[in-house]
Amino acid sequence: MTRGFYIGRFQPYHNGHHNVVQSIAEEVDELVLGIGSAGDSHSQHDPFTAGERIMMITKSLVDSDLVTYAVPIEDLDRNSVWVSHVQSMSPDFDVAYSNNPLVIQLFEEAGVEVRQSPMYNRDVLEGTEVRDRMIEGDDWEKLVPDAVVEVVEETGGLERIQRVSDSDSNGE
């Protein structure tokens, strides 16, 4: 049995993430999804709580045959011990998936096999684009799985990101 590890902030979990998970599913029996920056929420950059992101992922993957575990990983501002921190918060895994050069470097230095995952329509399918569309009231729903739309509606996430991104500096 092979268990993979894929970390992201998932702010929110979008179709790019979903496609990566489906691609990884062809290579592993189980997948740990590390919810990065788990302690951050209620900001324009990180509007959703770790629990809300876990709901997004769990509901989006409910019909998947892949066994998944969503695990919150709080930030640790010491790169030299980051991998051991991740490993202490996660079930054991055999291979990590990332395209982030720092994450790749840290896992490789720790002796963990790293595979890069394909990116899907990266110019549109990325968290900043989804969040910007949410803030502007543009069509963001088509960029995320239906289950994510449901979680955002249930949690008042759209109103939250619009409110926390408002400026109070004389309309600027």
Side-chain angles (χ1 to χ4, degrees), residues 2 19 27 29 35 37 42 48 60 69-71 75 83-84 86 119 124 126-127 157 164 168:
T2 302
N19 288 330
E27 300 181 12
D29 302 298
I35 311 297
S37 301
H42 291 77
F48 303 104
S60 295
Y69 310 96
V71 178
D75 286 339
V83 172
S84 61
V86 166
M119 302 243 254
V124 175
E126 56 105 21
V164 299
D168 63 355

mmCIF file of all heavy atoms in Angstrom, residues 2 19 27 29 35 37 42 48 60 69-71 75 83-84 86 119 124 126-127 157 164 168:
data_model
loop_
_atom_site.group_PDB
_atom_site.id
_atom_site.type_symbol
_atom_site.label_atom_id
_atom_site.label_comp_id
_atom_site.label_asym_id
_atom_site.label_seq_id
_atom_site.Cartn_x
_atom_site.Cartn_y
_atom_site.Cartn_z
ATOM 1 N N THR A 2 0.511 2.222 -0.806
ATOM 2 C CA THR A 2 1.247 3.478 -0.881
ATOM 3 C C THR A 2 0.346 4.613 -0.408
ATOM 4 O O THR A 2 -0.796 4.733 -0.851
ATOM 5 C CB THR A 2 1.701 3.766 -2.327
ATOM 6 O OG1 THR A 2 2.504 2.684 -2.775
ATOM 7 C CG2 THR A 2 2.490 5.055 -2.395
ATOM 8 N N ASN A 19 -8.262 18.354 -9.577
ATOM 9 C CA ASN A 19 -7.618 17.626 -10.666
ATOM 10 C C ASN A 19 -6.304 17.002 -10.217
ATOM 11 O O ASN A 19 -5.968 15.880 -10.618
ATOM 12 C CB ASN A 19 -7.389 18.545 -11.866
ATOM 13 C CG ASN A 19 -8.680 18.881 -12.587
ATOM 14 O OD1 ASN A 19 -9.619 18.103 -12.616
ATOM 15 N ND2 ASN A 19 -8.731 20.069 -13.163
ATOM 16 N N GLU A 27 -1.809 6.972 -8.532
ATOM 17 C CA GLU A 27 -0.498 6.486 -8.103
ATOM 18 C C GLU A 27 -0.462 5.964 -6.671
ATOM 19 O O GLU A 27 0.504 5.312 -6.288
ATOM 20 C CB GLU A 27 0.532 7.618 -8.229
ATOM 21 C CG GLU A 27 0.697 8.147 -9.632
ATOM 22 C CD GLU A 27 1.745 9.244 -9.720
ATOM 23 O OE1 GLU A 27 2.504 9.446 -8.748
ATOM 24 O OE2 GLU A 27 1.810 9.902 -10.765
ATOM 25 N N ASP A 29 -2.672 4.545 -2.905
ATOM 26 C CA ASP A 29 -3.864 3.885 -2.370
ATOM 27 C C ASP A 29 -4.621 4.785 -1.402
ATOM 28 O O ASP A 29 -5.835 4.683 -1.254
ATOM 29 C CB ASP A 29 -3.457 2.597 -1.646
ATOM 30 C CG ASP A 29 -2.712 1.658 -2.572
ATOM 31 O OD1 ASP A 29 -3.307 1.215 -3.572
ATOM 32 O OD2 ASP A 29 -1.522 1.368 -2.303
ATOM 33 N N ILE A 35 -3.651 20.476 5.368
ATOM 34 C CA ILE A 35 -4.284 21.797 5.306
ATOM 35 C C ILE A 35 -3.274 22.799 5.844
ATOM 36 O O ILE A 35 -3.161 22.995 7.058
ATOM 37 C CB ILE A 35 -5.577 21.843 6.154
ATOM 38 C CG1 ILE A 35 -6.494 20.660 5.858
ATOM 39 C CG2 ILE A 35 -6.288 23.175 5.981
ATOM 40 C CD1 ILE A 35 -7.024 20.599 4.461
ATOM 41 N N SER A 37 -1.176 26.290 6.694
ATOM 42 C CA SER A 37 -1.571 27.547 7.350
ATOM 43 C C SER A 37 -2.897 27.365 8.081
ATOM 44 O O SER A 37 -3.795 28.208 8.006
ATOM 45 C CB SER A 37 -1.652 28.699 6.342
ATOM 46 O OG SER A 37 -0.416 28.892 5.705
ATOM 47 N N HIS A 42 -10.110 34.278 8.178
ATOM 48 C CA HIS A 42 -10.775 35.573 8.285
ATOM 49 C C HIS A 42 -9.939 36.734 7.746
ATOM 50 O O HIS A 42 -9.991 37.841 8.277
ATOM 51 C CB HIS A 42 -11.225 35.845 9.729
ATOM 52 C CG HIS A 42 -12.347 34.952 10.160
ATOM 53 N ND1 HIS A 42 -12.133 33.635 10.511
ATOM 54 C CD2 HIS A 42 -13.663 35.175 10.268
ATOM 55 C CE1 HIS A 42 -13.297 33.081 10.840
ATOM 56 N NE2 HIS A 42 -14.243 33.994 10.691
ATOM 57 N N PHE A 48 -10.856 31.237 4.944
ATOM 58 C CA PHE A 48 -11.571 30.095 5.498
ATOM 59 C C PHE A 48 -10.789 29.431 6.623
ATOM 60 O O PHE A 48 -9.575 29.354 6.593
ATOM 61 C CB PHE A 48 -11.888 29.083 4.387
ATOM 62 C CG PHE A 48 -12.671 29.698 3.264
ATOM 63 C CD1 PHE A 48 -12.054 30.016 2.062
ATOM 64 C CD2 PHE A 48 -14.009 29.996 3.420
ATOM 65 C CE1 PHE A 48 -12.764 30.617 1.043
ATOM 66 C CE2 PHE A 48 -14.738 30.600 2.406
ATOM 67 C CZ PHE A 48 -14.111 30.920 1.204
ATOM 68 N N SER A 60 -16.063 17.321 -1.263
ATOM 69 C CA SER A 60 -15.690 17.240 -2.679
ATOM 70 C C SER A 60 -15.219 15.845 -3.068
ATOM 71 O O SER A 60 -15.330 15.443 -4.228
ATOM 72 C CB SER A 60 -14.589 18.251 -3.006
ATOM 73 O OG SER A 60 -15.058 19.570 -2.849
ATOM 74 N N TYR A 69 -7.345 11.554 4.028
ATOM 75 C CA TYR A 69 -7.309 12.093 5.384
ATOM 76 C C TYR A 69 -6.941 13.563 5.268
ATOM 77 O O TYR A 69 -5.884 13.884 4.729
ATOM 78 C CB TYR A 69 -6.244 11.383 6.236
ATOM 79 C CG TYR A 69 -6.310 9.876 6.207
ATOM 80 C CD1 TYR A 69 -5.511 9.157 5.329
ATOM 81 C CD2 TYR A 69 -7.163 9.186 7.052
ATOM 82 C CE1 TYR A 69 -5.562 7.775 5.296
ATOM 83 C CE2 TYR A 69 -7.216 7.802 7.020
ATOM 84 C CZ TYR A 69 -6.417 7.100 6.137
ATOM 85 O OH TYR A 69 -6.471 5.727 6.108
ATOM 86 N N ALA A 70 -7.794 14.438 5.754
ATOM 87 C CA ALA A 70 -7.470 15.860 5.776
ATOM 88 C C ALA A 70 -6.919 16.196 7.155
ATOM 89 O O ALA A 70 -7.564 15.938 8.173
ATOM 90 C CB ALA A 70 -8.717 16.695 5.477
ATOM 91 N N VAL A 71 -5.697 16.743 7.181
ATOM 92 C CA VAL A 71 -4.996 16.983 8.439
ATOM 93 C C VAL A 71 -4.555 18.440 8.508
ATOM 94 O O VAL A 71 -3.830 18.904 7.627
ATOM 95 C CB VAL A 71 -3.752 16.064 8.540
ATOM 96 C CG1 VAL A 71 -2.987 16.334 9.812
ATOM 97 C CG2 VAL A 71 -4.152 14.605 8.447
ATOM 98 N N ASP A 75 1.327 26.654 10.630
ATOM 99 C CA ASP A 75 2.604 27.178 10.162
ATOM 100 C C ASP A 75 3.668 27.048 11.234
ATOM 101 O O ASP A 75 3.392 27.155 12.433
ATOM 102 C CB ASP A 75 2.467 28.652 9.764
ATOM 103 C CG ASP A 75 1.732 28.820 8.444
ATOM 104 O OD1 ASP A 75 1.681 27.861 7.652
ATOM 105 O OD2 ASP A 75 1.213 29.927 8.200
ATOM 106 N N VAL A 83 9.582 19.670 7.958
ATOM 107 C CA VAL A 83 9.156 18.321 7.558
ATOM 108 C C VAL A 83 8.852 17.467 8.780
ATOM 109 O O VAL A 83 7.837 16.762 8.813
ATOM 110 C CB VAL A 83 10.196 17.644 6.640
ATOM 111 C CG1 VAL A 83 9.834 16.178 6.396
ATOM 112 C CG2 VAL A 83 10.302 18.387 5.311
ATOM 113 N N SER A 84 9.697 17.534 9.807
ATOM 114 C CA SER A 84 9.406 16.735 11.002
ATOM 115 C C SER A 84 8.115 17.217 11.671
ATOM 116 O O SER A 84 7.361 16.407 12.217
ATOM 117 C CB SER A 84 10.582 16.741 11.982
ATOM 118 O OG SER A 84 10.864 18.041 12.425
ATOM 119 N N VAL A 86 5.503 18.475 10.005
ATOM 120 C CA VAL A 86 4.448 17.904 9.164
ATOM 121 C C VAL A 86 4.261 16.427 9.493
ATOM 122 O O VAL A 86 3.132 15.959 9.679
ATOM 123 C CB VAL A 86 4.778 18.095 7.665
ATOM 124 C CG1 VAL A 86 3.892 17.224 6.782
ATOM 125 C CG2 VAL A 86 4.649 19.561 7.272
ATOM 126 N N MET A 119 -0.087 20.606 -13.275
ATOM 127 C CA MET A 119 -0.922 21.758 -12.923
ATOM 128 C C MET A 119 -1.980 21.891 -14.016
ATOM 129 O O MET A 119 -1.712 21.645 -15.181
ATOM 130 C CB MET A 119 -0.070 23.014 -12.845
ATOM 131 C CG MET A 119 1.048 22.870 -11.836
ATOM 132 S SD MET A 119 0.919 24.011 -10.507
ATOM 133 C CE MET A 119 2.206 25.146 -10.897
ATOM 134 N N VAL A 124 -5.994 30.339 -14.388
ATOM 135 C CA VAL A 124 -7.327 30.600 -13.841
ATOM 136 C C VAL A 124 -7.567 29.795 -12.562
ATOM 137 O O VAL A 124 -8.153 30.308 -11.609
ATOM 138 C CB VAL A 124 -8.425 30.273 -14.878
ATOM 139 C CG1 VAL A 124 -9.806 30.419 -14.272
ATOM 140 C CG2 VAL A 124 -8.278 31.149 -16.109
ATOM 141 N N GLU A 126 -6.386 28.963 -9.637
ATOM 142 C CA GLU A 126 -5.507 29.218 -8.499
ATOM 143 C C GLU A 126 -6.270 30.054 -7.499
ATOM 144 O O GLU A 126 -7.189 30.788 -7.846
ATOM 145 C CB GLU A 126 -4.183 29.843 -8.960
ATOM 146 C CG GLU A 126 -4.297 31.115 -9.757
ATOM 147 C CD GLU A 126 -3.926 32.324 -8.937
ATOM 148 O OE1 GLU A 126 -3.223 32.170 -7.934
ATOM 149 O OE2 GLU A 126 -4.367 33.412 -9.281
ATOM 150 N N GLY A 127 -5.892 29.903 -6.244
ATOM 151 C CA GLY A 127 -6.672 30.486 -5.160
ATOM 152 C C GLY A 127 -6.868 31.986 -5.259
ATOM 153 O O GLY A 127 -7.960 32.496 -4.969
ATOM 154 N N GLY A 157 -19.165 32.305 3.814
ATOM 155 C CA GLY A 157 -17.808 32.609 3.366
ATOM 156 C C GLY A 157 -17.718 33.729 2.358
ATOM 157 O O GLY A 157 -16.757 34.506 2.369
ATOM 158 N N VAL A 164 -13.996 41.318 4.890
ATOM 159 C CA VAL A 164 -12.629 41.476 5.388
ATOM 160 C C VAL A 164 -11.709 42.088 4.347
ATOM 161 O O VAL A 164 -10.639 42.590 4.694
ATOM 162 C CB VAL A 164 -12.021 40.150 5.925
ATOM 163 C CG1 VAL A 164 -12.851 39.622 7.080
ATOM 164 C CG2 VAL A 164 -11.835 39.127 4.832
ATOM 165 N N ASP A 168 -11.118 50.567 4.938
ATOM 166 C CA ASP A 168 -11.779 51.652 5.660
ATOM 167 C C ASP A 168 -11.019 52.967 5.487
ATOM 168 O O ASP A 168 -11.182 53.899 6.238
ATOM 169 C CB ASP A 168 -11.946 51.323 7.148
ATOM 170 C CG ASP A 168 -10.627 51.154 7.860
ATOM 171 O OD1 ASP A 168 -9.571 51.192 7.193
ATOM 172 O OD2 ASP A 168 -10.648 50.996 9.088
#
